[in-house]
Amino acid sequence: QKEVEQNSGPLSVPEGAIASLNCTYSDRGSQSFFWYRQYSGKSPELIMFIYSNGDKEDGRFTAQLNKASQYVSLLIRDSQPSDSATYLCAAMDSNYQLIWGAGTKLIIKP
Amino acid sequence: GAVVSQHPSWVICKSGTSVKIECRSLDFQATTMFWYRQFPKQSLMLMATSNEGSKATYEQGVEKDKFLINHASLTLSTLTVTSAHPEDSSFYICSARWGLQETQYFGPGTRLLVL
């Protein structure tokens, strides 16, 4: 069964520090990976996607992909209290369906 | 960016009635739309996938006669919860994409409360 695993947290990070969110996936056929942020009571919003090995940066966010290790991560630099949310990792399988992780709750402490 | 809307954002209904939720892609043509359900403090659960002009594909355990999905155009999909019961109370969220390998963009969600 195809799975995406995330630590449910909560992950507590002091304001201004780097938050590191991790995700592993079981399907080696997965090619694209997505990070979504979901605030409490709201729907998910896309942060970024990655499909090539290595790093992809967008502002304070960096996604990292290691296909050999089947590992995806999201780094948030200079964490702000407004970054407190649940972060969802998703892998697109060979049928173009998203396999979702259960999410990691991130808390940024002022 | 891609914008997806949902209507209504909140609905309260009596047990036994039917409720229709609309999902629209506002600035792109959505070849595929997805319907999710999320209970409090739980993860997203995919209910069904719908492609424009064809029948929806339901996930295991989701009753297709209870959750009717229509994707009649490239910008509109509807979810009808028939004969709603209190256990159907949840947060229903749609998403849409314009191509097989493209990103899913989410609507703001609809909160359903069945009394």
Side-chain angles (χ1 to χ4, degrees):
Chain A
Q1 183 161 343
K2 299 171 185 175
E3 291 181 335
V4 172
E5 296 196 356
Q6 297 181 253
N7 189 320
S8 62
L11 173 66
S12 184
V13 173
E15 183 176 357
I18 296 175
S20 177
L21 302 159
N22 305 314
C23 170
T24 59
Y25 60 96
S26 63
D27 179 16
R28 282 197 175 275
S30 296
Q31 294 296 318
S32 302
F33 304 86
F34 302 81
W35 283 100
Y36 287 83
R37 177 175 62 197
Q38 187 175 23
Y39 290 113
S40 181
K42 302 293 186 182
S43 66
E45 56 179 324
L46 178 71
I47 297 176
M48 59 194 307
F49 62 88
I50 185 168
Y51 51 84
S52 297
N53 268 329
D55 295 0
K56 179 181 179 183
E57 188 174 317
D58 184 0
R60 295 187 296 112
F61 299 96
T62 299
Q64 298 175 318
L65 174 60
N66 184 323
K67 290 185 180 180
S69 300
Q70 296 177 239
Y71 179 88
V72 190
S73 64
L74 180 71
L75 302 178
I76 307 174
R77 288 183 299 282
D78 189 23
S79 298
Q80 303 296 310
S82 59
D83 295 325
S84 298
T86 296
Y87 288 79
L88 303 171
C89 171
M92 181 176 284
D93 69 12
S94 54
N95 294 320
Y96 307 108
Q97 299 292 335
L98 284 184
I99 311 300
W100 291 90
T104 298
K105 184 174 183 178
L106 175 65
I107 299 172
I108 306 299
K109 292 190 171 181
Chain B
V3 180
V4 177
S5 70
Q6 270 185 254
H7 178 80
S9 54
W10 262 102
V11 59
I12 301 174
C13 69
K14 293 182 179 180
S15 185
T17 60
S18 293
V19 175
K20 180 185 280 188
I21 302 170
E22 290 187 351
C23 176
R24 293 182 185 271
S25 56
L26 298 185
D27 54 359
F28 66 98
Q29 293 187 323
T31 55
T32 307
M33 287 185 168
F34 304 85
W35 287 96
Y36 293 84
R37 182 167 55 181
Q38 189 173 38
F39 293 105
K41 299 189 186 300
Q42 294 189 21
S43 56
L44 286 176
M45 189 193 81
L46 179 65
M47 300 175 67
T49 301
S50 76
N51 293 297
E52 184 265 339
S54 61
K55 289 184 179 179
T57 302
Y58 290 80
E59 296 298 304
Q60 195 171 6
V62 178
E63 300 173 57
K64 61 181 179 182
D65 294 330
K66 179 168 183 62
F67 298 99
L68 301 178
I69 292 171
N70 186 295
H71 191 167
S73 77
L74 284 171
T75 59
L76 173 64
S77 176
T78 59
L79 167 68
T80 301
V81 183
T82 62
S83 186
H85 289 97
E87 58 265 30
D88 298 323
S89 299
S90 188
F91 190 37
Y92 291 86
I93 315 171
C94 74
S95 70
R97 69 182 183 197
W98 61 81
L100 278 177
Q101 300 185 56
E102 301 300 329
T103 303
Q104 286 186 34
Y105 291 92
F106 284 84
T110 297
R111 293 209 175 276
L112 171 63
L113 177 60
V114 185
L115 301 177

